Amino acid sequence: MPAETLEQLVSLCKRRGFIFQGSEIYGGLQGTFDFGPLGVELKNNLKRLWWKHNVYERDDMEGLDASILMNRYVWRYSGHEETFVDPLIDCKTCKGRFRADRLKDAACLKHSKLHPGECEGELTEPRAFNMMFKTQVGPIPDPESFAYLRPETAQGIFVNFKNVLDSTNRKLPFGIAQIGKAFRNEITPRNFVFRVREFEQMEIEYFCKPGEDEDIHSAFIEDHVDWWVNECGLSRDRITLYEVPSNELAHYSKRTVDIMYRFPIGEEELEGIANRTDYDLGSHSRDQEKLSITAKVSPNPHSTERLTYFDQPNNWHIVPYVIEPSAGVDRGILAILTEAYTEETLDNGETRVVLKLKPALAPIKVAVLPLKKNEPAIVETAKRIKKLLQSSGELRTVYDDTAGIGKLYRRQDEIGTPFCITVDFDTIGREEENGLKDTVTVRHRDSMQQERVAISDLPAYINDRI
Amino acid sequence: MPAETLEQLVSLCKRRGFIFQGSEIYGGLQGTFDFGPLGVELKNNLKRLWWKHNVYERDDMEGLDASILMNRYVWRYSGHEETFVDPLIDCKTCKGRFRADRLKDAACLKHSKLHPGECEGELTEPRAFNMMFKTQVGPIPDPESFAYLRPETAQGIFVNFKNVLDSTNRKLPFGIAQIGKAFRNEITPRNFVFRVREFEQMEIEYFCKPGEDEDIHSAFIEDHVDWWVNECGLSRDRITLYEVPSNELAHYSKRTVDIMYRFPIGEEELEGIANRTDYDLGSHSRDQEKLSITAKVSPNPHSTERLTYFDQPNNWHIVPYVIEPSAGVDRGILAILTEAYTEETLDNGETRVVLKLKPALAPIKVAVLPLKKNEPAIVETAKRIKKLLQSSGELRTVYDDTAGIGKLYRRQDEIGTPFCITVDFDTIGREEENGLKDTVTVRHRDSMQQERVAISDLPAYINDRI
């Protein structure tokens, strides 16, 4: 039974060090969150799983890591300066600002319904508010020398299309994958890490010849749903595909399908997979009139490159079509935590909270626990096992002796540690000759089953199961 | 023989897809760089090595990933609003701006020496220019609602000190490690990725009791020099330690030692290791007057927390001292590339460029090369080996058949691929029965030695050597 409320997750995340409010000691900064000791591991694990699946295990993908600050022309020709806006309404009396599309009928709504009892001022007509963060670059504050914080990682890929092509000799079709921060000045950040001002994206721009685009689009949808299910542990029956209706599509988009997940706040987008046609590469190209671009693009006197692919067999320059799978890291984490969060009633009537994370995602892989903390031989053996495991690959391993064994198990269950290893008197051969010397108890998180494993077999045993 | 000029590296980086100028198709954005397909792998490998050494292989370290946008009070009480400044000089005629500390004697220097022939205008006295990027947060442009892009990752750790302590039950001494982007509005970015406006840091804040600080400081210096040498491959004789003279130390710093590396641009800082005393936790604490803070801190009416550690045995609240090892990811990459870059004259008189990267850092671990690209059995076997290797762990493996074998080897040498695997007629058993069926040639990058290995042994063979 996954988490039913956001509060269950917020509370666990704060208490156990997954996610904290940003700048908390100064009252926070709305829409920002800090990933704590366990959160940073979960996040890194998720990003690595994605990279492995989408870059390493494919033959047609390159990686990229572009900068967050980009020349402002990138955002002019991407269309963001003009269209990356939310409709804003002002209250003429209290100067409050609100998103128009979050009021049912802004014109007749009294302001008091928004913050009851405070103000009943007259509201303005909605007007466009650009959601890109802007900053002055360089020492001279002239109107030309500013930059935006990227509101998406995608454009860093498009403007590097030629650089990647020239340095790798790729043939179509191929993709470029990128993971990185993006920033949006949301008017009303909300729902924990679901809608925030600073977030992280995992994006692919997959370039192909026109005509190949539809099949590739469908293949990505299927592949990425499978990935969320098989590798991230989301249940297939909490995922739906939303076919964006044609009247809601951007003018250049041929088709967009959103992978929706049933979060505690309802069914919301986890990843969007769009067919963006040749809009992006066409928009960022010079000499557009000499290229055959099907999308409607604005004239571009600033670009210094044609972002085309030379099709040798047919001797012409193609402006490739683009399929874009775009997923949110923070939303991915929220979905994974939602799915993994479980409250179970045990046989003895107690409740245990357990995070049923896929072992590859678990922040801590192994906890080594001494049955008795004032027994030097047990403590020494436990610490030796910790060292043994943490040096075999990248197994995050912890040692904990700060409570009784039952409580230690519960602590690890709650943060999703798949294996607890207990060192006891049998391990150190203190009891009678029972053949258990140099073996430990391995306890499995979900089943709570225990088995006896030789210390020397532990690295292989654990690695095989992660 | 490492690289002697920056140009050698810039050229290789662009041509082979390590590092591109940011926003290049729009004339760039000064001080920003994009990491290409090979650069992103090298960077991720470096960050993982650092994390493994400093977090996983220690027993006293937690990780963190705080947000880039932080409440502006963080930067008031850290001291950055007041002191994170460069001295700027204006030309009254042409309005140009220059860093005063980069002119030998600003008062008597003619502007014409800066950009000769353009302007000989009168220069102003130097004045303070704050290097933090500032941006408006939220929809209402009032003077209070702005934030800075963090100019260092360190403060994200200090303001989360209590959160980490409370969620992990750590005892002193312990550290918090973080890797992430930081931004500085440098007046004159220069020297490729050495001095840039957007960069990445790998920082530790290590908290201890006063009195333990000096030994811990020395231990980190030694440990981190060893790490750069043993794990990153820098030669010890290109590293020097710079003891920052006491008259150049910040008022709160007890001692700072910089790890300097001999870059092609000269000897420059790679990592700084500072003893910051109790300045940071003291500065961000409320009720300062009730705490025993040795550093001089400004009164803080905005913090909601005492950033202290309760020393149970002695029943009092300590404001811990902090040792801060702070390294630049981009500078690390520049040092690693400098060191690895080698031009060798071969026996036949040809020159080969080879990047002698540590295998763990190499962007691509294995290249699988078919001896003949129009021999289906060879191609099929080579592709099968690529799949085999890339599914065994996270081995970035490529297949290349776009040139003759000699040229393919040179290509891989130049990007530092430690192993080339060649599939030939013996592999597919086409020649006489010579016992070489199902074996391949493994060629070693540095020695250019080749040996014959069974296909089934390849995963273990490669993994053992990385």
Side-chain angles (χ1 to χ4, degrees):
Chain A
M1 190 74 190
E4 291 177 349
T5 69
L6 215 47
E7 288 63 39
Q8 287 172 315
L9 300 179
V10 172
S11 158
L12 177 70
C13 282
K14 159 92 178 166
R15 186 161 38 86
R16 299 307 311 274
F18 282 92
I19 303 174
F20 309 123
Q21 189 189 358
S23 303
E24 192 172 358
I25 67 166
Y26 291 112
L29 179 68
Q30 221 197 344
T32 66
F33 289 89
D34 295 345
F35 286 77
L38 299 181
V40 63
E41 299 295 339
L42 174 56
K43 195 181 191 186
N44 286 344
N45 291 341
L46 175 62
K47 292 194 281 186
R48 275 168 67 172
L49 272 191
W50 188 90
W51 196 261
K52 184 164 188 275
H53 180 79
N54 289 291
V55 181
Y56 292 165
E57 291 181 355
R58 297 182 66 120
D59 302 323
D60 56 354
M61 198 72 73
E62 298 288 348
L64 189 80
D65 183 14
S67 60
I68 289 168
L69 294 175
M70 301 179 77
N71 188 299
R72 68 198 185 88
Y73 287 128
V74 173
W75 307 107
R76 175 179 298 178
Y77 296 107
S78 71
H80 284 77
E81 272 194 343
E82 195 175 345
T83 62
F84 197 65
V85 293
D86 262 355
L88 255 193
I89 284 182
D90 288 307
C91 168
K92 291 180 180 174
T93 306
C94 79
K95 309 300 179 199
R97 290 196 167 174
F98 311 93
R99 250 180 75 168
D101 60 354
R102 300 188 61 82
L103 309 178
K104 274 221 167 56
D105 184 359
C108 57
L109 235 198
K110 275 296 171 217
H111 194 161
S112 55
K113 293 205 180 157
L114 293 164
H115 44 173
E118 284 193 38
C119 170
E120 300 210 351
E122 192 187 345
L123 300 177
T124 65
E125 287 296 300
R127 56 193 189 72
F129 170 73
N130 196 297
M131 288 197 294
M132 289 193 288
F133 287 104
K134 201 173 169 176
T135 192
Q136 177 71 37
V137 176
I140 302 166
D142 73 61
E144 291 293 305
S145 59
F146 66 85
Y148 298 109
L149 275 62
R150 65 180 178 198
E152 61 175 36
T153 58
Q155 301 300 323
I157 297 178
F158 297 130
V159 301
N160 277 300
F161 174 74
K162 262 303 214 213
N163 278 331
V164 173
L165 200 59
D166 291 348
S167 59
T168 62
N169 293 309
R170 281 285 182 184
K171 305 269 173 278
L172 287 185
F174 76 97
I176 303 178
Q178 179 168 233
I179 300 176
K181 285 273 175 97
F183 299 81
R184 296 180 183 178
N185 197 0
E186 296 282 353
I187 296 167
T188 42
R190 63 192 176 284
N191 290 331
F192 196 33
V193 296
F194 184 80
R195 188 169 301 279
V196 287
R197 287 180 172 148
E198 174 175 340
F199 56 103
E200 205 155 4
Q201 294 186 305
M202 308 185 282
E203 292 197 314
I204 295 167
E205 306 299 332
Y206 195 87
F207 304 99
C208 64
K209 294 181 186 172
E212 297 174 344
D213 53 316
E214 295 183 12
D215 286 349
I216 290 171
H217 194 182
S218 300
F220 266 115
I221 296 165
E222 191 179 337
D223 180 67
H224 279 211
V225 168
D226 287 349
W227 181 77
W228 285 112
V229 172
N230 299 331
E231 304 211 29
C232 300
L234 304 190
S235 39
R236 185 60 186 84
D237 64 7
R238 292 177 74 92
I239 289 176
T240 50
L241 293 178
Y242 174 69
E243 185 83 37
V244 177
S246 55
N247 62 344
E248 291 177 19
L249 289 174
H251 66 85
Y252 50 77
S253 178
K254 200 165 148 180
R255 182 186 177 210
T256 296
V257 173
D258 290 340
I259 301 178
M260 310 289 283
Y261 179 74
R262 183 144 45 90
F263 291 96
I265 53 169
E267 201 165 77
E268 295 281 359
E269 183 186 340
L270 176 63
E271 174 169 4
I273 306 185
N275 182 340
R276 302 178 60 96
T277 70
D278 54 6
Y279 173 75
D280 304 283
L281 295 182
S283 291
H284 288 300
S285 284
R286 71 175 169 87
D287 301 338
Q288 290 165 336
E289 65 290 353
K290 295 179 187 158
L291 309 173
S292 62
I293 301 169
T294 61
K296 189 170 161 290
V297 297
S298 302
N300 188 333
H302 290 101
S303 171
T304 60
E305 283 286 353
R306 297 183 191 183
L307 301 183
T308 57
Y309 174 87
F310 184 62
D311 181 19
Q312 204 131 24
N314 299 305
N315 193 34
W316 76 307
H317 291 270
I318 298 173
V319 184
Y321 266 41
V322 171
I323 306 298
E324 177 190 83
S326 171
V329 175
D330 312 79
R331 289 182 182 191
I333 285 173
L334 192 60
I336 287 163
L337 287 175
T338 297
E339 187 81 38
Y341 185 93
T342 312
E343 289 183 11
E344 285 179 352
T345 306
L346 303 178
D347 292 344
N348 64 6
E350 284 178 18
T351 299
R352 77 161 183 158
V353 172
V354 54
L355 273 191
K356 297 192 169 178
L357 294 170
K358 287 268 179 186
L361 287 170
I364 292 169
K365 308 301 186 204
V366 182
V368 187
L369 315 172
L371 190 69
K372 217 161 159 8
K373 68 181 279 192
N374 49 11
E375 183 61 46
I378 287 183
V379 167
E380 181 274 319
T381 304
K383 291 189 170 169
R384 187 162 50 81
I385 292 173
K386 177 195 189 271
K387 288 266 183 227
L388 171 74
L389 289 174
Q390 76 191 0
S391 65
S392 75
E394 291 177 43
L395 287 180
R396 180 67 164 149
T397 310
V398 296
Y399 167 88
D400 193 358
D401 65 7
T402 59
I405 197 74
K407 194 164 175 192
L408 293 178
Y409 283 154
R410 292 291 172 278
R411 272 193 203 158
Q412 297 299 330
D413 288 345
E414 198 181 45
I415 62 174
T417 305
F419 306 102
C420 285
I421 292 175
T422 305
V423 176
D424 56 22
F425 286 100
D426 287 336
T427 311
I428 58 170
R430 177 68 55 89
E431 306 294 289
E432 76 277 21
E433 209 43 72
N434 56 9
L436 296 179
K437 189 163 183 298
D438 296 327
T439 67
V440 292
T441 299
V442 176
R443 174 190 178 266
H444 296 258
R445 177 194 67 201
D446 298 351
S447 65
M448 297 186 283
Q449 297 291 310
Q450 308 191 358
E451 55 186 315
R452 207 77 196 177
V453 178
I455 292 173
S456 55
D457 293 341
L458 279 174
Y461 180 94
I462 301 289
N463 274 302
D464 283 354
R465 287 164 176 77
I466 283 174
Chain B
M1 189 75 192
E4 290 174 351
T5 69
L6 214 48
E7 287 64 38
Q8 288 172 316
L9 299 179
V10 172
S11 159
L12 177 70
C13 282
K14 158 92 179 167
R15 185 162 37 87
R16 298 307 311 274
F18 281 92
I19 303 174
F20 310 123
Q21 188 189 358
S23 304
E24 193 172 358
I25 69 166
Y26 290 113
L29 178 69
Q30 222 196 342
T32 67
F33 289 90
D34 294 345
F35 285 78
L38 299 182
V40 62
E41 299 295 340
L42 174 56
K43 195 181 190 186
N44 287 343
N45 291 342
L46 175 61
K47 292 193 283 186
R48 275 168 66 173
L49 273 191
W50 188 90
W51 196 261
K52 185 165 187 277
H53 181 78
N54 289 292
V55 181
Y56 292 163
E57 292 181 354
R58 296 182 66 120
D59 302 323
D60 55 355
M61 197 72 75
E62 298 289 347
L64 189 80
D65 183 13
S67 60
I68 289 169
L69 295 175
M70 300 179 78
N71 188 301
R72 68 198 185 86
Y73 287 126
V74 173
W75 307 106
R76 174 178 299 178
Y77 296 107
S78 70
H80 284 76
E81 272 193 343
E82 195 176 345
T83 62
F84 197 65
V85 293
D86 262 354
L88 255 193
I89 282 182
D90 288 307
C91 168
K92 292 182 179 173
T93 307
C94 79
K95 310 298 179 202
R97 290 196 168 176
F98 312 94
R99 250 179 76 168
D101 60 353
R102 300 186 62 80
L103 309 177
K104 277 222 165 53
D105 183 359
C108 59
L109 237 197
K110 275 297 170 213
H111 195 162
S112 55
K113 293 205 182 156
L114 292 164
H115 44 173
E118 284 193 38
C119 170
E120 301 208 351
E122 193 188 344
L123 300 177
T124 64
E125 287 297 302
R127 56 190 190 75
F129 170 73
N130 195 297
M131 289 198 293
M132 289 194 288
F133 287 103
K134 200 172 168 176
T135 193
Q136 177 70 39
V137 175
I140 301 166
D142 73 63
E144 291 293 305
S145 59
F146 66 86
Y148 297 109
L149 275 62
R150 63 179 179 200
E152 61 174 37
T153 57
Q155 301 299 324
I157 296 178
F158 297 131
V159 301
N160 276 299
F161 174 75
K162 262 304 214 212
N163 278 332
V164 173
L165 200 60
D166 291 347
S167 58
T168 62
N169 294 309
R170 281 284 182 184
K171 305 269 173 278
L172 287 186
F174 76 97
I176 304 178
Q178 178 168 234
I179 300 177
K181 287 271 175 99
F183 299 80
R184 295 180 184 180
N185 197 359
E186 296 282 352
I187 296 167
T188 42
R190 63 192 178 282
N191 290 331
F192 196 34
V193 296
F194 184 81
R195 188 169 300 281
V196 288
R197 287 180 172 148
E198 175 175 339
F199 56 103
E200 206 155 3
Q201 293 186 306
M202 308 186 283
E203 291 196 315
I204 295 167
E205 306 300 332
Y206 195 87
F207 304 99
C208 63
K209 294 181 186 169
E212 298 175 341
D213 53 318
E214 295 183 12
D215 287 348
I216 290 171
H217 194 182
S218 301
F220 267 115
I221 297 166
E222 191 181 337
D223 180 68
H224 279 211
V225 168
D226 287 350
W227 182 77
W228 286 112
V229 172
N230 299 332
E231 304 211 30
C232 300
L234 303 190
S235 38
R236 185 60 185 83
D237 63 7
R238 292 177 74 92
I239 290 177
T240 49
L241 293 179
Y242 174 70
E243 184 83 37
V244 177
S246 55
N247 62 343
E248 291 178 19
L249 289 175
H251 65 85
Y252 50 78
S253 178
K254 199 166 151 182
R255 182 188 178 208
T256 297
V257 173
D258 291 341
I259 301 178
M260 310 289 283
Y261 179 75
R262 183 144 47 88
F263 290 97
I265 53 169
E267 201 164 77
E268 296 280 359
E269 182 186 341
L270 176 63
E271 175 168 4
I273 306 185
N275 182 339
R276 303 177 58 97
T277 70
D278 54 6
Y279 173 74
D280 304 284
L281 295 182
S283 292
H284 288 299
S285 284
R286 69 174 170 88
D287 302 337
Q288 291 165 335
E289 66 289 354
K290 296 180 189 158
L291 310 173
S292 62
I293 302 170
T294 61
K296 188 172 163 288
V297 298
S298 302
N300 188 334
H302 290 102
S303 171
T304 60
E305 283 286 352
R306 295 183 192 184
L307 302 183
T308 57
Y309 173 85
F310 183 62
D311 181 18
Q312 205 131 25
N314 299 304
N315 192 33
W316 75 308
H317 290 271
I318 298 173
V319 184
Y321 266 41
V322 171
I323 305 299
E324 176 191 82
S326 170
V329 175
D330 311 79
R331 290 182 180 191
I333 285 173
L334 192 60
I336 287 163
L337 288 175
T338 297
E339 187 82 38
Y341 185 92
T342 311
E343 289 183 11
E344 283 179 353
T345 306
L346 303 178
D347 292 343
N348 64 7
E350 284 179 16
T351 300
R352 78 161 182 156
V353 173
V354 53
L355 273 191
K356 297 190 169 178
L357 295 170
K358 288 270 180 185
L361 286 171
I364 292 170
K365 308 302 186 203
V366 182
V368 187
L369 314 171
L371 190 68
K372 219 161 162 355
K373 67 181 279 192
N374 50 11
E375 183 61 45
I378 287 184
V379 168
E380 180 273 321
T381 304
K383 291 189 170 170
R384 186 162 50 81
I385 292 173
K386 177 197 188 276
K387 288 265 183 229
L388 171 74
L389 289 175
Q390 74 190 357
S391 65
S392 76
E394 291 177 43
L395 287 179
R396 179 68 163 150
T397 310
V398 298
Y399 167 89
D400 194 359
D401 65 7
T402 60
I405 197 76
K407 193 165 175 189
L408 293 178
Y409 282 155
R410 291 292 171 277
R411 270 192 204 158
Q412 298 299 330
D413 288 344
E414 199 182 45
I415 62 174
T417 307
F419 305 102
C420 285
I421 291 175
T422 305
V423 177
D424 56 22
F425 286 101
D426 287 335
T427 311
I428 59 170
R430 177 67 56 87
E431 306 294 289
E432 76 277 22
E433 208 43 72
N434 56 10
L436 297 178
K437 189 163 184 296
D438 296 327
T439 68
V440 292
T441 299
V442 176
R443 175 190 177 267
H444 296 258
R445 178 194 65 200
D446 298 351
S447 65
M448 297 188 284
Q449 297 290 311
Q450 307 191 357
E451 56 185 316
R452 208 76 198 178
V453 178
I455 292 174
S456 55
D457 292 341
L458 281 173
Y461 181 93
I462 302 289
N463 274 303
D464 284 353
R465 284 161 179 78
I466 284 174

